[in-house]
Amino acid sequence: MNTSTYSPLHTILTTAKREIQILFSKKSVVITLLIMLLAIIGGIGFAAWQKDKDPEDKAQSVAVVNVDKQLLDGSGLEPRDAADRADAERLVRDGDVEAALIAENDTWQVVSDGFPDDGVMSSVDALAETYSQATALEKLGISPAEYQAAAPAIDVVPVDIGDLDAGKDDEASKQDFIRLLTVFILIMLIVFMVITFAAQVGSRVTEEKSSRVVELILSTVRPFDFLAGKILGNLVFGFISTAILLAAGFIGLQVTGLLDDIEIAWSVLPVMLVAYLLAMVFFGGLYAAAGAMVQRTEDLQSTQMPVLLLILASAYVPAFGWMSTDATWMQVMSWIPPVSIFAAPLSYAAGDFTGGQLAVSLAIAAVATLAVVWVTARIYRRSILNNGKTTTWSEALRG
């Protein structure tokens, strides 16, 4: 290695560019991205189809006997005349109507083939109550207008004690929930991307080690610079892939009109970008060390499993506690890396973390990430040229 002309930055950027090119050419990676893209587009298409369905298609047809059809207006039931009970039962058996409503004196019978649908029964119960009330008023000589004027207007308002204690109004609570939901969805996407692309660092390291290519490369460049370039390349590729998927989802929601009913907390995107960078570098470094500790790709699972379990544990905490960010255990986890990378943004979005607390938490996570990169770089440097037996994590950490 000619140290007088050697440039660490050039090595890192060149390695990163090479990693991006290789990832773009890998069929498994491209197929995974295509499946995710199709899933997003398909899900949006299905949601748009459900939204655009004619509401009248959902109305349930009911044959009526001795019941005024006007009484069913606005009930969600579509009335159909039947001459008598026998005619109504025939319509039910033939499948022409969902059920039949037959009034005999003070009894209303709902006839169906099998147990009546819960929606039909609820609608008929409401109709019967309305009819009973109207009949009683008529017998008492009270007009509907007089009854309406005499009845007090009672507003039923939901009250959240938690919001009252925190001094928040309804609008503030709504904005907190929108931020919380936005962050939660992005965290789940980040976790998937970390599992998909950070793991590529480990597999690429093992491929180069098993083919002995790395021995030639490290004769001209420094191990740390080469490792940094690999992590950077996978980080950039993962970021580009994530941006494409988010853009496809946003465009799909915009075109179908579904975005009209969705509020997005755009202000949390910078925070989630920081979380994404920290997560990719943190776990990318661990995966690189895992890849350096084995000789063959077949043995990679044994060293990668602890890293995967750590990712799943870090994701499980916010997945389980995203609606309980004020809980003590969730507050504690918002300070402990790598869980805090995902938990702290949730606590901030829910209003249980101030901006200053979030900044300090992410700064601690950044320090922990640098420490992990330093440790994994040492493991990588010691293990990458070791072509003997698989090194365990305990042996690698003992040095």
Side-chain angles (χ1 to χ4, degrees), residues 286-327:
L286 292 177
Y287 270 118
M293 290 191 295
V294 298
Q295 171 63 25
R296 302 178 305 167
T297 306
E298 294 82 0
D299 301 326
L300 185 56
Q301 185 175 358
S302 63
T303 56
Q304 280 194 347
M305 184 55 67
V307 184
L308 178 60
L309 292 177
L310 182 59
I311 295 176
L312 295 179
S314 301
Y316 176 80
V317 170
F320 183 75
W322 76 287
M323 291 296 289
S324 306
T325 55
D326 58 342

Side-chain angles (χ1 to χ4, degrees), residues 32-46:
T32 300
L33 289 176
L34 288 176
I35 291 174
M36 293 178 64
L37 186 60
L38 290 175
I40 291 173
I41 295 175
I44 293 175
F46 179 77

Side-chain angles (χ1 to χ4, degrees), residues 67 77 111 125-126 150 155 172 190 218 257 262 277 297 371 379 382 385 396:
V67 176
L77 301 177
V111 179
D125 284 340
D155 292 331
I190 289 173
L218 295 184
I262 298 176
L277 295 175
T297 306
I379 295 174
R382 288 196 302 263
L385 298 179

Side-chain angles (χ1 to χ4, degrees), residues 5-56:
T5 59
Y6 180 78
S7 170
L9 181 59
H10 176 73
T11 300
I12 293 172
L13 295 179
T14 302
T15 305
K17 181 180 178 181
R18 176 172 169 270
E19 287 296 312
I20 295 172
Q21 291 172 341
I22 291 174
L23 288 172
F24 268 116
S25 63
K26 291 187 71 170
K27 290 183 179 180
S28 59
V29 175
V30 174
I31 290 174
T32 300
L33 289 176
L34 288 176
I35 291 174
M36 293 178 64
L37 186 60
L38 290 175
I40 291 173
I41 295 175
I44 293 175
F46 179 77
W49 175 68
Q50 289 291 324
K51 178 186 177 184
D52 294 338
K53 286 177 66 177
D54 189 352
E56 294 181 358

Side-chain angles (χ1 to χ4, degrees), residues 91-115:
L91 292 172
V92 172
R93 291 193 185 95
D94 292 344
D96 295 331
V97 295
E98 295 289 334
L101 175 58
I102 302 173
E104 295 180 351
N105 298 323
D106 292 336
T107 302
W108 284 17
Q109 298 181 5
V110 180
V111 179
S112 64
D113 188 3
F115 195 80

